[in-house]
Amino acid sequence: MNLTITDVRLTPILVADPPLLNTQGVHQPYTPRLIVEVETAEGVVGVGETYGDTKYLDLARPFAAELIGRQVGDLNGLFTVADQVAVDSSRVSGQVDVGGLRGVQTADKLRLSVVSGFEVACLDALGKALGLPVHALLGGKVRDAVDYSAYLFYKWAAHPEGVVCEKDDWGAAVDPAGVVAQARLFTERYGFTSFKLKGGVFPPDEEIAAVRALAEAFPGQPLRLDPNGAWSVATSLRVAEELGDVLEYLEDPALGTAAMAEVSAGTDVPLATNMCVTTFAEIKEAFARDAVQVVLSDHHYWGGLRNTQQLAAICRTFGVGVSMHSNTHLGISLAAMTHVASTVPNLHHACDSHYPWQSEDVLTERLVFEGGAVRVSDAPGLGVEVDREKVALLHRRWLDDDGSLRERDDGAAMRVAEPGWVTPAVPRW
Ligand SMILES: [Mg+2]
């Protein structure tokens, strides 16, 4: 069996995205993703997916060139390649990632996000070549299906008038009744039984009212609220006090480990994060200060599926819970998340996924949620098949773009509706 990589293809695409609101603005009508394909000498093709903004592409291109001639099973070698690929760190160091809402962006985080796309593609190719599912390559699944939560967003009914976009059928959600109606749609369409509301959009009392309305509509079902660090410590503690009886956890109420540690010391409501613990280097201080009780992994941030397993092992060691974070993604990443989540023994919370918001995908068949869960595929590799025509269509959209949509910028999208919009300083409330 010849597992030498002979070709690597990178295809940036633009995917339709509804007008979902967050503390920094609103999703643009199209969002960039990068499809990674790795081909072996015997013609086996593995696929991966990661962020598609230009700064990721700029790293992924030299990375791809370095992979030719390497073995598809040399997953540790991907990190060596990443170190070799020059990073213009002056462009990224210390900048706050305005779109990704993932804490301070560093060259290392960019690099690991690029590695993840290639790691998943290599695992898919290796699995296909060996006739084994990706979960088997990761040591085997410990569950047959992975639970996901309904990812509720405040949203407009449509993007602002005049913006070229695809229509969605979710309607508006800008108050408690709208949020509950959206949650009902999620349960009807996908069977989700836990709910997360993206907050930090309206003043805290309005969001408290929305979570209260959810608790009344879905008594006893797990609820989460995630304002992306928009609140002060005092506001975070007030919200925790008011919603403590109904929250499964509060996600990143305040920004940074120090603020999270202060909040944590003042409440029994568990705190989750995908903002203050996003790299291995950030774990020690956060755990030592008991700043978070649940880490939301994201295989894109953390450098792939095997790093996600390592993170889960560290969390297990320290008695910290683990679940999965999501940014806008397609079916390749949902399949990858599901494989790795199926191998994590200490996964005690349903994972987040934006997938229901994406009406477009690059797969021949969309993945399905049944009872809020995705079944773990036992087919070779990820168990998904890419539709080349769909990839070509979404790539054509990327080619035709004048550049304004190739970088995710929620603030810019908000300024279309509100010309005076300035990305709010944190804490906002
Ligand atoms: Mg979050």
Side-chain angles (χ1 to χ4, degrees), residues 151 196 198 226 228 251-252 274-275 296 325:
Y151 201 159
K196 160 175 166 171
K198 174 62 73 185
D226 173 17
N228 281 118
E251 183 173 331
D252 288 308
N274 64 279
M275 294 182 78
L296 305 172
H325 162 263

PDB file of all heavy atoms in Angstrom, residues 151 196 198 226 228 251-252 274-275 296 325, ligand 1:
ATOM      1  N   TYR A 151     -28.254  25.575  18.719  1.00  0.00           N
ATOM      2  CA  TYR A 151     -27.463  26.805  18.865  1.00  0.00           C
ATOM      3  C   TYR A 151     -28.349  27.980  18.460  1.00  0.00           C
ATOM      4  O   TYR A 151     -28.467  28.305  17.282  1.00  0.00           O
ATOM      5  CB  TYR A 151     -26.218  26.716  17.975  1.00  0.00           C
ATOM      6  CG  TYR A 151     -25.095  27.644  18.375  1.00  0.00           C
ATOM      7  CD1 TYR A 151     -23.793  27.386  17.969  1.00  0.00           C
ATOM      8  CD2 TYR A 151     -25.322  28.771  19.150  1.00  0.00           C
ATOM      9  CE1 TYR A 151     -22.739  28.214  18.323  1.00  0.00           C
ATOM     10  CE2 TYR A 151     -24.282  29.611  19.511  1.00  0.00           C
ATOM     11  CZ  TYR A 151     -22.995  29.331  19.096  1.00  0.00           C
ATOM     12  OH  TYR A 151     -21.966  30.157  19.438  1.00  0.00           O
ATOM     13  N   LYS A 196     -28.513  26.416  23.572  1.00  0.00           N
ATOM     14  CA  LYS A 196     -27.545  27.458  23.903  1.00  0.00           C
ATOM     15  C   LYS A 196     -27.968  28.728  23.185  1.00  0.00           C
ATOM     16  O   LYS A 196     -28.224  28.710  21.980  1.00  0.00           O
ATOM     17  CB  LYS A 196     -26.157  27.040  23.424  1.00  0.00           C
ATOM     18  CG  LYS A 196     -25.186  28.217  23.282  1.00  0.00           C
ATOM     19  CD  LYS A 196     -23.808  27.763  22.927  1.00  0.00           C
ATOM     20  CE  LYS A 196     -22.942  28.939  22.466  1.00  0.00           C
ATOM     21  NZ  LYS A 196     -21.541  28.530  22.321  1.00  0.00           N
ATOM     22  N   LYS A 198     -26.780  32.404  22.007  1.00  0.00           N
ATOM     23  CA  LYS A 198     -25.686  33.356  21.826  1.00  0.00           C
ATOM     24  C   LYS A 198     -26.159  34.707  22.341  1.00  0.00           C
ATOM     25  O   LYS A 198     -27.127  35.272  21.822  1.00  0.00           O
ATOM     26  CB  LYS A 198     -25.320  33.433  20.335  1.00  0.00           C
ATOM     27  CG  LYS A 198     -24.289  34.499  19.998  1.00  0.00           C
ATOM     28  CD  LYS A 198     -22.951  34.261  20.690  1.00  0.00           C
ATOM     29  CE  LYS A 198     -22.197  33.084  20.070  1.00  0.00           C
ATOM     30  NZ  LYS A 198     -20.954  32.767  20.791  1.00  0.00           N
ATOM     31  N   ASP A 226     -24.226  32.446  26.262  1.00  0.00           N
ATOM     32  CA  ASP A 226     -22.832  32.761  25.894  1.00  0.00           C
ATOM     33  C   ASP A 226     -22.728  34.174  25.330  1.00  0.00           C
ATOM     34  O   ASP A 226     -22.943  34.391  24.139  1.00  0.00           O
ATOM     35  CB  ASP A 226     -22.344  31.751  24.842  1.00  0.00           C
ATOM     36  CG  ASP A 226     -20.971  32.113  24.297  1.00  0.00           C
ATOM     37  OD1 ASP A 226     -20.259  32.928  24.924  1.00  0.00           O
ATOM     38  OD2 ASP A 226     -20.594  31.564  23.231  1.00  0.00           O
ATOM     39  N   ASN A 228     -20.042  35.896  24.957  1.00  0.00           N
ATOM     40  CA  ASN A 228     -18.709  36.140  24.373  1.00  0.00           C
ATOM     41  C   ASN A 228     -17.911  37.216  25.127  1.00  0.00           C
ATOM     42  O   ASN A 228     -17.316  38.112  24.522  1.00  0.00           O
ATOM     43  CB  ASN A 228     -18.806  36.512  22.886  1.00  0.00           C
ATOM     44  CG  ASN A 228     -19.015  35.295  22.002  1.00  0.00           C
ATOM     45  OD1 ASN A 228     -20.034  35.192  21.322  1.00  0.00           O
ATOM     46  ND2 ASN A 228     -18.073  34.367  22.009  1.00  0.00           N
ATOM     47  N   GLU A 251     -21.388  30.563  29.642  1.00  0.00           N
ATOM     48  CA  GLU A 251     -20.205  30.458  28.778  1.00  0.00           C
ATOM     49  C   GLU A 251     -19.553  31.826  28.585  1.00  0.00           C
ATOM     50  O   GLU A 251     -20.217  32.771  28.134  1.00  0.00           O
ATOM     51  CB  GLU A 251     -20.655  29.878  27.436  1.00  0.00           C
ATOM     52  CG  GLU A 251     -19.516  29.650  26.447  1.00  0.00           C
ATOM     53  CD  GLU A 251     -20.008  28.916  25.202  1.00  0.00           C
ATOM     54  OE1 GLU A 251     -20.980  28.130  25.303  1.00  0.00           O
ATOM     55  OE2 GLU A 251     -19.425  29.139  24.125  1.00  0.00           O
ATOM     56  N   ASP A 252     -18.281  31.931  28.927  1.00  0.00           N
ATOM     57  CA  ASP A 252     -17.507  33.162  28.740  1.00  0.00           C
ATOM     58  C   ASP A 252     -18.306  34.420  29.078  1.00  0.00           C
ATOM     59  O   ASP A 252     -18.429  35.325  28.245  1.00  0.00           O
ATOM     60  CB  ASP A 252     -16.982  33.245  27.297  1.00  0.00           C
ATOM     61  CG  ASP A 252     -15.857  32.255  27.047  1.00  0.00           C
ATOM     62  OD1 ASP A 252     -14.888  32.244  27.829  1.00  0.00           O
ATOM     63  OD2 ASP A 252     -15.956  31.475  26.081  1.00  0.00           O
ATOM     64  N   ASN A 274     -14.671  29.005  25.476  1.00  0.00           N
ATOM     65  CA  ASN A 274     -13.905  28.747  24.260  1.00  0.00           C
ATOM     66  C   ASN A 274     -13.090  30.004  23.940  1.00  0.00           C
ATOM     67  O   ASN A 274     -12.633  30.190  22.826  1.00  0.00           O
ATOM     68  CB  ASN A 274     -14.806  28.408  23.068  1.00  0.00           C
ATOM     69  CG  ASN A 274     -15.701  29.560  22.674  1.00  0.00           C
ATOM     70  OD1 ASN A 274     -16.732  29.771  23.283  1.00  0.00           O
ATOM     71  ND2 ASN A 274     -15.299  30.314  21.651  1.00  0.00           N
ATOM     72  N   MET A 275     -12.916  30.860  24.960  1.00  0.00           N
ATOM     73  CA  MET A 275     -12.206  32.120  24.737  1.00  0.00           C
ATOM     74  C   MET A 275     -10.961  32.282  25.609  1.00  0.00           C
ATOM     75  O   MET A 275      -9.965  32.824  25.146  1.00  0.00           O
ATOM     76  CB  MET A 275     -13.157  33.306  24.963  1.00  0.00           C
ATOM     77  CG  MET A 275     -14.281  33.354  23.938  1.00  0.00           C
ATOM     78  SD  MET A 275     -15.396  34.765  24.148  1.00  0.00           S
ATOM     79  CE  MET A 275     -14.427  36.094  23.440  1.00  0.00           C
ATOM     80  N   LEU A 296     -14.593  24.124  26.162  1.00  0.00           N
ATOM     81  CA  LEU A 296     -15.234  23.793  24.890  1.00  0.00           C
ATOM     82  C   LEU A 296     -14.144  23.689  23.842  1.00  0.00           C
ATOM     83  O   LEU A 296     -13.610  24.696  23.373  1.00  0.00           O
ATOM     84  CB  LEU A 296     -16.254  24.870  24.539  1.00  0.00           C
ATOM     85  CG  LEU A 296     -17.294  25.115  25.646  1.00  0.00           C
ATOM     86  CD1 LEU A 296     -18.139  26.320  25.325  1.00  0.00           C
ATOM     87  CD2 LEU A 296     -18.153  23.879  25.856  1.00  0.00           C
ATOM     88  N   HIS A 325     -16.939  23.378  20.989  1.00  0.00           N
ATOM     89  CA  HIS A 325     -17.338  24.677  20.467  1.00  0.00           C
ATOM     90  C   HIS A 325     -17.522  24.578  18.957  1.00  0.00           C
ATOM     91  O   HIS A 325     -17.006  23.670  18.308  1.00  0.00           O
ATOM     92  CB  HIS A 325     -16.229  25.683  20.792  1.00  0.00           C
ATOM     93  CG  HIS A 325     -16.269  26.933  19.980  1.00  0.00           C
ATOM     94  ND1 HIS A 325     -15.494  27.109  18.846  1.00  0.00           N
ATOM     95  CD2 HIS A 325     -16.984  28.067  20.131  1.00  0.00           C
ATOM     96  CE1 HIS A 325     -15.740  28.313  18.354  1.00  0.00           C
ATOM     97  NE2 HIS A 325     -16.622  28.909  19.106  1.00  0.00           N
TER      98      HIS A 325
HETATM   99 MG    MG B   1     -18.502  30.606  23.034  1.00  0.00          MG
END
